[in-house]
Amino acid sequence: MLDMSGFPTELSGENTPMVSFRKVRKSYGALTVLDDLDLDINAGEMVSIIGPSGSGKTTVLRMLMTLEQINSGVIYVDGQPLTHMPKGGKLVPANERHLRSRRADIGMCFQHFNLFPHMTALENCMEGPVQVLGLSKAEARDRSEELLELVGMIAKKDQHPSRLSGGQQQRVAIARALAMRPKVMLFDEVTSALDPEVIGEVTNVIRGLVSEHNLTMLMVTHQMGFARDISDRVCFFYGGKIEEQGHPSELFGNPQRERTQQFLSAVREAV
Amino acid sequence: MFDWKWEFAWEILPRLVTATGNTLLAAGAGYAIALVLGLALAIAQRSPYRGLTFVVREFVEFIRSTPLLLQIFFIFYVGPQFGIRLSPWMSGMIAIGLHYSCYLSEVYRGGIDSVPKGQWEAAIALNMTTVQKYRRVIIPQAIPSALSGMGNYLVGIFKDTPMLSVIGVAELIHTANAIGSEHYRFLEPFTMVGIIFLAISLPAAGLIRLVEGRVRRKLGLK
Ligand SMILES: Nc1ncnc2c1ncn2[C@@H]1O[C@H](COP(=O)(O)OP(=O)(O)OP(=O)(O)O)[C@@H](O)[C@H]1O
Ligand SMILES: [Mg+2]
């Protein structure tokens, strides 16, 4: 039994972060992918994660979306434990029921969109609200059409994903995630699978979300310029840990750590 | 060479038509059981409960490695010793349903495995329950690749119904045999049964292919 005494059953106080990773560890066999990670994200903050391949960036998002279990530590969302639940004044690993109740705060967009191929764009967006949130079809349709409008996909709402370009599919996927009204949105390299000429249409949608919505966002990206433009904070990951983090102007303009400097100059050379 | 008697053929036709109905009923009911139970077995084999997964996997393996005929005899003759007394009809449909559910579960399993991992993850990200995941996301995508296998087993079940004659179900073979013994004429009844099987199996296979294409298109997959 792991000692959970260092982890409160909930976080409270004025500056409670929206997301809090506390000593989160994840390993696959002998490979440690997240190494006692501590990471707080404040409500309304846009945080970008950059770093070399294999440094654990995607893993951070997957743990927060509860796609897999962590090995130790606790993740809190909006002050409540996500990966654990309180029992007799202590935290124990979450069961499916607890996960379902806490997961509603989080939405995610994937590198390969993962739209449901047997549903149209509109049906993809309505699916969660109708099935999971229990909205009426009419309500869900209104909400979904509004969001498809927001991402510029309303004209294609009756198309199946197979008839849409990558950029279009990704915009629908963003609308689908937003339709669940999450507090936290996760983006995992949402432009990496796209042709260069359509990257802009997706990044513009995310830009719009940053300026107009009070969402908390965590984004993994390889687009340094984009991360610099829109982030409140950038975290440079190395070996399952945050090697350095800060405001984009500092991190990109004046990186302190040698590994950050190496990574950034390698990325710049590649461009 | 042949002394085919049309008059006799006409005379026995009504009995064979009734028997055809019985055969179709047995095949249809057995198939319905197999479709539902097969899906349950396929999903159970993917459940996170190790014990359940193990038991179901062994059960499927066991059923698939023993003859249908044995299972029919077992349910009908051995069942009563365990206090399960079923009519020939009931025993037959259950045996066929059970037997084919194990084959269908493999077909479903293949279909379910063909659904990309990202679809499961998208379903989790939408906070779906396990039932919602299967019903709304996984099964609709698993069905198209399972369809041809499902169709093959429908024809397979139909052709296996004669096995029910051994416990006295009045399907086609049983009826043809009875007619033959009553009149000492086997040429007409068995020839007619062959033609009936052919007349149903062949169009059924074509129909299945048609339905397959339709379902695929309807689900927006090609
Ligand atoms: N299911 C898994 N089984 C085994 N190892 C895994 C699994 N998932 C991820 N890993 C390993 O964990 C490490 C971190 O993976 P992760 O996907 O988080 O990296 P990343 O920083 O997102 O990299 P990239 O920039 O290439 O996407 C990698 O070494 C990867 O091979
Ligand atoms: Mg990654």
Side-chain angles (χ1 to χ4, degrees):
Chain A
M1 197 64 194
L2 288 164
D3 180 22
M4 301 298 295
S5 56
F7 300 102
T9 53
E10 63 173 30
L11 308 179
S12 53
E14 221 165 283
N15 294 320
T16 300
M18 179 56 82
V19 174
S20 184
F21 283 70
R22 301 266 172 113
K23 288 211 169 324
V24 172
R25 175 172 284 271
K26 174 68 184 177
S27 21
Y28 296 104
L31 178 72
T32 299
V33 181
L34 296 183
D35 189 2
D36 287 349
L37 176 71
D38 287 311
L39 170 62
D40 281 357
I41 301 165
N42 295 318
E45 202 181 9
M46 165 53 135
V47 174
S48 291
I49 297 178
I50 61 170
S53 180
S55 56
K57 306 180 299 294
T58 295
T59 306
V60 172
L61 302 192
R62 291 175 59 81
M63 298 304 120
L64 187 49
M65 192 65 256
T66 68
L67 296 177
E68 278 174 75
Q69 287 179 348
I70 59 177
N71 296 101
S72 63
V74 178
I75 302 175
Y76 298 85
V77 174
D78 204 9
Q80 302 296 315
L82 168 77
T83 51
H84 293 71
M85 55 185 187
K87 195 175 179 186
K90 274 194 158 185
L91 288 181
V92 297
N95 58 19
E96 181 60 26
R97 178 204 289 248
H98 179 80
L99 287 179
R100 286 239 323 130
S101 74
R102 303 305 314 153
R103 197 151 52 199
D105 286 346
I106 306 157
M108 181 164 179
C109 295
F110 301 86
Q111 185 174 350
H112 297 286
F113 335 127
N114 300 352
L115 288 177
F116 302 134
H118 55 298
M119 301 180 195
T120 64
L122 180 63
E123 287 165 350
N124 263 281
C125 295
M126 289 172 61
E127 185 65 12
V130 171
Q131 301 293 330
V132 178
L133 304 180
L135 261 60
S136 74
K137 282 244 168 90
E139 283 172 300
R141 174 169 291 117
D142 287 348
R143 182 186 284 197
S144 300
E145 286 182 343
E146 204 171 290
L147 287 165
L148 286 171
E149 183 85 59
L150 178 82
V151 302
M153 285 298 296
I154 194 71
K156 304 254 179 194
K157 69 182 166 93
D158 295 321
Q159 300 285 350
H160 281 88
S162 58
R163 310 289 298 276
L164 302 175
S165 73
Q168 293 172 333
Q169 289 189 56
Q170 194 58 284
R171 286 186 280 152
V172 173
I174 293 172
R176 176 176 72 175
L178 290 173
M180 299 299 284
R181 303 250 165 105
K183 293 177 183 161
V184 184
M185 273 286 279
L186 312 177
F187 298 95
D188 186 18
E189 292 194 32
V190 287
T191 57
S192 293
L194 302 180
D195 292 333
E197 67 271 21
V198 300
I199 288 180
E201 64 190 48
V202 173
T203 52
N204 282 338
V205 167
I206 298 177
R207 265 178 228 275
L209 293 179
V210 171
S211 59
E212 280 159 42
H213 293 255
N214 196 34
L215 270 168
T216 306
M217 293 192 252
L218 187 54
M219 171 175 92
V220 172
T221 185
H222 284 299
Q223 289 180 274
M224 299 304 147
F226 183 49
R228 181 179 203 145
D229 276 3
I230 67 161
S231 311
D232 299 311
R233 178 159 47 119
V234 178
C235 299
F236 171 66
F237 265 66
Y238 191 93
K241 275 191 162 126
I242 298 174
E243 178 81 13
E244 183 171 354
Q245 58 178 319
H247 190 271
S249 61
E250 291 162 30
L251 193 113
F252 289 112
N254 185 21
Q256 300 298 306
R257 312 279 296 199
E258 206 183 321
R259 280 174 181 147
T260 321
Q261 292 161 2
Q262 281 170 358
F263 174 76
L264 289 176
S265 62
V267 171
R268 282 195 192 106
E269 270 168 37
V271 173
Chain B
M1 190 170 111
F2 295 117
D3 83 86
W4 177 273
K5 289 202 176 136
W6 282 106
E7 209 174 305
F8 178 56
W10 267 118
E11 191 188 315
I12 64 173
L13 188 61
R15 277 178 78 185
L16 288 181
V17 168
T18 308
T20 305
N22 287 345
T23 296
L24 288 176
L25 192 67
Y31 193 58
I33 294 173
L35 280 181
V36 176
L37 192 61
L39 187 60
L41 292 174
I43 291 174
Q45 286 186 63
R46 292 189 69 105
S47 89
Y49 309 107
R50 292 271 174 80
L52 177 70
T53 305
F54 176 79
V55 170
V56 170
R57 206 161 278 174
E58 292 302 307
F59 174 78
V60 168
E61 217 30 65
F62 169 73
I63 296 282
R64 294 197 325 147
S65 348
T66 51
L68 171 58
L69 199 55
L70 177 69
Q71 290 153 17
I72 294 172
F73 277 138
F74 212 87
I75 290 177
F76 186 63
Y77 291 113
V78 185
Q81 290 197 13
F82 296 94
I84 305 166
R85 221 166 282 279
L86 298 169
S87 68
W89 262 100
M90 265 305 206
S91 310
M93 283 185 303
I94 288 173
I96 284 192
L98 201 64
H99 187 81
Y100 274 92
S101 70
C102 291
Y103 283 95
L104 277 171
S105 79
E106 294 296 305
V107 171
Y108 286 127
R109 246 156 51 91
I112 290 171
D113 286 344
S114 74
V115 179
K117 203 166 142 248
Q119 293 291 310
W120 292 90
E121 295 184 346
I124 296 175
L126 289 182
N127 206 10
M128 288 186 172
T129 62
T130 303
V131 173
Q132 288 167 340
K133 269 183 248 174
Y134 275 106
R135 194 168 62 83
R136 303 291 305 176
V137 177
I138 304 304
I139 293 172
Q141 294 182 66
I143 294 296
S145 56
L147 272 176
S148 68
M150 291 163 74
N152 289 344
Y153 284 125
L154 175 57
V155 176
I157 279 193
F158 178 61
K159 288 195 295 184
D160 267 356
T161 46
M163 293 207 194
L164 300 185
S165 63
V166 297
I167 53 170
V169 172
E171 50 64 65
L172 275 165
I173 300 286
H174 189 270
T175 307
N177 196 35
I179 292 172
S181 324
E182 286 162 24
H183 298 86
Y184 305 105
R185 289 196 65 84
F186 289 93
L187 174 67
E188 291 83 0
F190 279 125
T191 307
M192 288 164 80
V193 165
I195 291 169
I196 290 171
F197 266 101
L198 205 64
I200 292 173
S201 288
L202 283 184
L207 203 69
I208 286 160
R209 236 160 287 136
L210 212 74
V211 170
E212 207 181 315
R214 275 213 152 169
V215 171
R216 262 175 227 271
R217 239 168 296 129
K218 182 136 182 269
L219 292 175
L221 318 159
K222 18 165 244 143

